[in-house]
Amino acid sequence: GTAKLVNACGHWFLHIPVTFDVDELDNSQINHVVGIDRGLRFIATCYDEKGKTLFVNGKKVLETRCRYKKLRAELQAKGTKSAKKRLKKIGQRENRWMTDVNHRLSKTLVNHYGKNTLFVLEDLTSVTFDTTKNRRKDNRYEHSSWAFYQLEQFLAYKAQLKHSKVIEVSAQYTSQRCPKCGRINKENRNHSLHLYRCDRCGYSSNDDRIASMNIQYLGTEYVTGNPKPRFISK
């Protein structure tokens, strides 16, 4: 490839792109299936085939983003030339910080679950607008601007290097379905308490955990031969 010499923060770096082949993970080699629900309260809620749940708390991330949001609002209110210049620098700084968070998180997940792992994520392309417009105005920005897709990209290439892979499944009903009896009812989810309680079998748990359990189930369906697993409301 083509090398690039970069001067950053008083240091010189030589960036050299490298391309190499890696073996693709076959379904017969998959040992672990991990469902991952992405969000803000928990950046990632993971559920695996052993029934273990991993929560990645997003509190510190939200606090940092709120500080950036407040600072941007103050600079925009000033409207001066120097304020606009600083506003641009702050935006670049926040983007670098977000990228670093997603890099570290994707690396942690890949190392935690090891090789031959299938990471299952929701396809959020068709639900982003609907979920954003239904949120309160004061936290709509935090939800819509977080780099969920970037996290998926980072996880995908890091997983491939560890002989694992990432797939997307339909997000429909993953937060409304009871993972124990299969009942689908959106009223079972209490958003304010972050709790899901099934009105049929009585099973209850954290709503983010419920979503990750359902996503993980769709992953097992993929492994058994269903190329596009999804839930259907009867």
Side-chain angles (χ1 to χ4, degrees):
T2 302
K4 185 177 181 180
L5 190 62
V6 178
N7 188 327
C9 301
H11 297 280
W12 288 95
F13 300 91
L14 182 63
H15 293 175
I16 305 175
V18 178
T19 302
F20 56 94
D21 295 326
V22 293
D23 294 330
E24 187 172 348
L25 179 66
D26 186 80
N27 283 7
S28 62
Q29 300 173 307
I30 295 174
N31 294 329
H32 310 291
V33 180
V34 181
I36 303 177
D37 179 60
R38 290 165 288 177
L40 293 179
R41 196 169 65 96
F42 294 108
I43 301 178
T45 304
C46 310
Y47 185 84
D48 63 19
E49 77 286 345
K50 297 178 182 178
K52 294 183 178 180
T53 308
L54 173 66
F55 292 96
V56 180
N57 200 315
K59 183 178 179 180
K60 291 184 178 179
V61 169
L62 277 174
E63 290 175 349
T64 302
R65 301 216 64 209
C66 285
R67 288 199 297 270
Y68 275 117
K69 181 181 178 181
K70 182 179 179 181
L71 185 55
R72 275 197 305 272
E74 293 174 353
L75 292 172
Q76 287 171 349
K78 289 182 179 179
T80 62
K81 186 176 180 179
S82 59
K84 291 179 180 179
K85 185 176 181 181
R86 191 181 176 200
L87 193 62
K88 182 179 179 180
K89 288 184 177 181
I90 288 174
Q92 294 172 342
R93 187 191 310 163
E94 184 179 12
N95 287 337
R96 289 195 299 269
W97 166 76
M98 289 171 60
T99 299
D100 181 62
V101 170
N102 281 330
H103 265 305
R104 287 186 286 113
L105 176 55
S106 56
K107 181 179 179 181
T108 297
L109 293 176
V110 168
N111 289 338
H112 178 78
Y113 290 104
K115 65 179 184 178
N116 298 333
T117 296
L118 177 68
F119 294 99
V120 191
L121 303 175
E122 291 175 306
D123 180 1
L124 300 178
T125 54
S126 61
V127 299
T128 301
F129 175 73
D130 290 333
T131 56
T132 299
K133 71 177 182 180
N134 292 327
R135 288 182 173 269
R136 298 194 316 271
K137 187 176 180 179
D138 58 351
N139 73 351
R140 194 173 293 168
Y141 169 80
E142 284 79 0
H143 184 268
S144 63
S145 61
W146 182 251
F148 292 117
Y149 179 62
Q150 186 190 66
L151 173 60
E152 180 180 339
Q153 288 181 307
F154 290 169
L155 183 63
Y157 86 77
K158 285 180 170 63
Q160 193 172 17
L161 293 174
K162 284 280 188 177
H163 201 246
S164 297
K165 70 178 180 180
V166 172
I167 66 165
E168 284 186 339
V169 295
S170 171
Q172 195 169 26
Y173 305 122
T174 55
S175 297
Q176 301 176 17
R177 177 184 180 273
C178 174
K180 295 299 181 181
C181 71
R183 164 77 162 165
I184 295 177
N185 184 359
K186 66 178 181 180
E187 301 301 326
N188 288 340
R189 184 184 184 187
N190 189 321
H191 290 269
S192 59
L193 297 178
H194 301 289
L195 179 69
Y196 181 96
R197 185 183 299 277
C198 181
D199 63 336
R200 176 190 287 171
C201 70
Y203 181 77
S204 65
S205 186
N206 172 275
D207 57 355
D208 295 314
R209 180 174 181 268
I210 290 291
S212 64
M213 292 173 73
N214 284 320
I215 296 168
Q216 195 272 345
Y217 176 81
L218 291 177
T220 62
E221 289 287 296
Y222 173 84
V223 174
T224 56
N226 185 349
K228 294 183 179 181
R230 62 185 302 140
F231 296 120
I232 300 175
S233 180
K234 298 179 181 180

